Amino acid sequence: MVSRVLYEVVSSLIALPVRITGTTKEEQTPALQATISTFNELKLGKSIKYIIYKLSDDYKEVVLEETSSDPDYEVFYQKLRDAKSKDKRGKEGPGPRYAVYDFEYELEGGEGKRSKIAFIAWSPDDALTFPKMTYASSKEALKRSLNGIALDIQRNDASDIEYESMLKVIKQGRF
């Protein structure tokens, strides 16, 4: 009985491999192609302000959850805060997400405007263990597929993703 319980606990903690492979377009899944092309649209076209990615329900693939051209950071903030995920048993809790946000800001002293594209790995402290582990293990693969990221930011507390806190990090150029 103990070994069965131990097996269930360990198997619930092991992250599944997430598909983010494919160097040629033929090798890429449709979800990965959409992920990359949407990011390129944000980067080049500037018609998209942010992208939110999530793992598919089976935790095997990164998929687009939402894109928006809305410049209101508060809307983006609430989307991350309200994200939900389920563990392997179907229990729902706060959910990790990946996001890309195109930050625009004024330089000190009126020296002009700047723009930086930030990759944000949002994994709230109170998220369920299985989703947190799976998101953590697949972050680098997704990030590598998105060429043109200026900053990679990991955040676990809601106060850390508030606009002023993020802007401070963006302006410093480090996390």
Side-chain angles (χ1 to χ4, degrees):
M1 180 66 178
V2 172
S3 63
R4 173 83 176 140
V5 171
L6 182 60
Y7 171 78
E8 287 180 16
V9 168
V10 171
S11 66
S12 72
L13 296 177
I14 296 174
L16 298 171
V18 177
R19 286 180 290 193
I20 307 182
T21 58
T23 54
T24 67
K25 213 165 196 171
E26 293 77 31
E27 294 173 331
Q28 296 173 353
T29 66
L32 177 58
Q33 289 175 10
T35 297
I36 294 170
S37 67
T38 304
F39 172 75
N40 287 336
E41 190 178 330
L42 176 142
K43 180 174 71 172
L44 303 173
K46 299 292 183 179
S47 62
I48 297 174
K49 188 67 175 170
Y50 66 84
I51 305 167
I52 299 176
Y53 303 101
K54 70 175 202 161
L55 293 178
S56 59
D57 291 339
D58 63 1
Y59 286 93
K60 292 187 178 185
E61 192 166 32
V62 174
V63 296
L64 282 172
E65 182 173 47
E66 182 174 346
T67 64
S68 179
S69 59
D70 188 348
D72 184 0
Y73 187 85
E74 189 63 28
V75 173
F76 171 73
Y77 171 79
Q78 287 302 323
K79 299 276 183 187
L80 290 183
R81 287 280 322 254
D82 297 341
K84 301 287 183 205
S85 290
K86 291 183 179 178
D87 66 10
K88 289 171 79 174
R89 295 186 184 132
K91 181 180 177 187
E92 187 175 82
R97 291 293 185 272
Y98 306 117
V100 175
Y101 195 92
D102 186 7
F103 281 91
E104 291 182 7
Y105 59 94
E106 294 285 333
L107 291 173
E108 301 290 324
E111 295 180 27
K113 221 175 197 182
R114 292 290 187 267
S115 176
K116 286 188 182 177
I117 298 173
F119 179 87
I120 303 163
W122 166 244
S123 188
D125 286 329
D126 56 348
L128 300 168
T129 304
F130 181 75
K132 282 176 74 165
M133 289 180 59
T134 309
Y135 273 82
S137 69
S138 57
K139 173 187 160 190
E140 288 302 316
L142 174 60
K143 200 175 74 170
R144 275 194 310 269
S145 72
L146 305 175
N147 295 320
I149 300 286
L151 289 169
D152 172 10
I153 302 170
Q154 170 71 46
R155 292 292 178 251
N156 304 89
D157 186 77
S159 65
D160 293 338
I161 59 170
E162 290 175 351
Y163 183 75
E164 291 303 320
S165 175
M166 292 294 287
L167 191 59
K168 183 178 176 183
V169 171
I170 297 297
K171 285 182 175 181
Q172 290 175 350
R174 54 191 159 88
F175 53 98

